[in-house]
Amino acid sequence: MKSKLLLLLVLLSTGASAADPATARISTRLKFMAWDDALLGCGVRMEGKVIPVAILADQLSDEVAYEGPARLEIVRIVADQPAEPTPTPKGKAKPARQSTKAAASNQPNAEPPVAWIVLPASANNQHLILAVAPGRWEGGIMAMQDSPGGFPPGSLRFFNLCPYPLEVRIGPNAVKIPQKEARSIRGGPKDHDYFDGTIMTYEGGEEKVGYSLHMFQDNTQRALFFVSAGPDGSGTVVLKGVGDLSREKIAAPKRLGPGAR
């Protein structure tokens, strides 16, 4: 199945959330990235708690097993709050303070979300990458599919944002990438070795070298590249890169049945 970069999983206008997003349930696995600047001190609201997540511009976050409302919200983490007094060895009460992580894990956040997205039923039990940029898209989040096997460690994935097709060539391998679509390709043949590649552009139907790649092969690492057009008529492109370590094994989110909490 072709991977659509700009296929937002929020299809509000076509009734993707036919069910009320406040009551619909979603169980999915997520990785986050910042489209522009890093978002620090944020987390994902889940079942009245806020789960901290690092949203960086050059590296995908750790995988989060999300289980909660279809409307996913990213919120600011509440600052440290005083806890119950803790007795000292001499019997004196000393106010203890929770760590930021503890506060984030146990306190709902009443402030408006930094960004949000309504996930449709089709996102259930899927792997997604969520690009976060408050104010750039409705809700500030764009969702992309990250199907296991479609983007394995040791490979590169290119998202074509240009108004013309591309072709990525690495050694004997080549992959054509239509406009607004994404494709993966294997990096260099040897682990821990450098390799070269080329991004060919077809602006106005004319083939040009848009970008020359010189990269280090790491079979434990994935790399995403968002490819945008350079100056009109130049046939060159600009790359925005995001790295990702191989997916860690985490417990599968439990499935929710009717009436489950």
Side-chain angles (χ1 to χ4, degrees), residues 153-239:
S155 67
L156 313 176
R157 191 163 183 83
F158 293 87
F159 296 85
N160 184 6
L161 302 177
C162 303
Y164 45 75
L166 305 173
E167 183 176 71
V168 179
R169 301 172 182 173
I170 298 175
N173 301 326
V175 60
K176 295 183 182 296
I177 311 177
Q179 180 185 357
K180 296 183 179 180
E181 295 192 11
R183 297 289 188 275
S184 297
I185 186 172
R186 171 71 184 181
K190 296 181 180 180
D191 192 23
H192 294 168
D193 198 3
Y194 287 93
F195 66 90
D196 296 317
T198 306
I199 300 178
M200 307 301 298
T201 63
Y202 296 89
E203 184 178 11
E206 181 181 359
E207 182 180 270
K208 293 183 179 180
V209 176
Y211 201 97
S212 294
L213 300 168
H214 182 67
M215 302 186 65
F216 182 76
Q217 178 64 27
D218 184 345
N219 288 342
T220 67
Q221 182 93 358
R222 308 189 301 174
L224 297 83
F225 293 96
F226 298 90
V227 187
S228 302
D232 290 345
S234 68
T236 60
V237 293
V238 178
L239 270 62

Side-chain angles (χ1 to χ4, degrees), residues 68-143:
R71 179 183 164 105
L72 177 147
E73 296 182 345
I74 296 175
V75 298
R76 294 289 180 190
I77 291 177
V78 177
D80 289 3
Q81 298 292 331
E84 291 296 323
T86 302
T88 65
K90 294 183 179 180
K92 296 181 179 180
K94 180 180 180 180
R97 298 186 67 84
Q98 295 176 322
S99 67
T100 300
K101 184 174 182 179
S105 300
N106 295 294
Q107 296 186 20
N109 192 316
E111 297 181 0
V114 174
W116 57 269
I117 185 172
V118 178
L119 299 169
S122 60
N124 215 32
N125 299 318
Q126 299 297 312
H127 294 80
L128 306 175
I129 294 172
L130 300 186
V132 185
R136 180 178 287 270
W137 307 291
E138 181 178 10
I141 299 179
M142 178 177 69

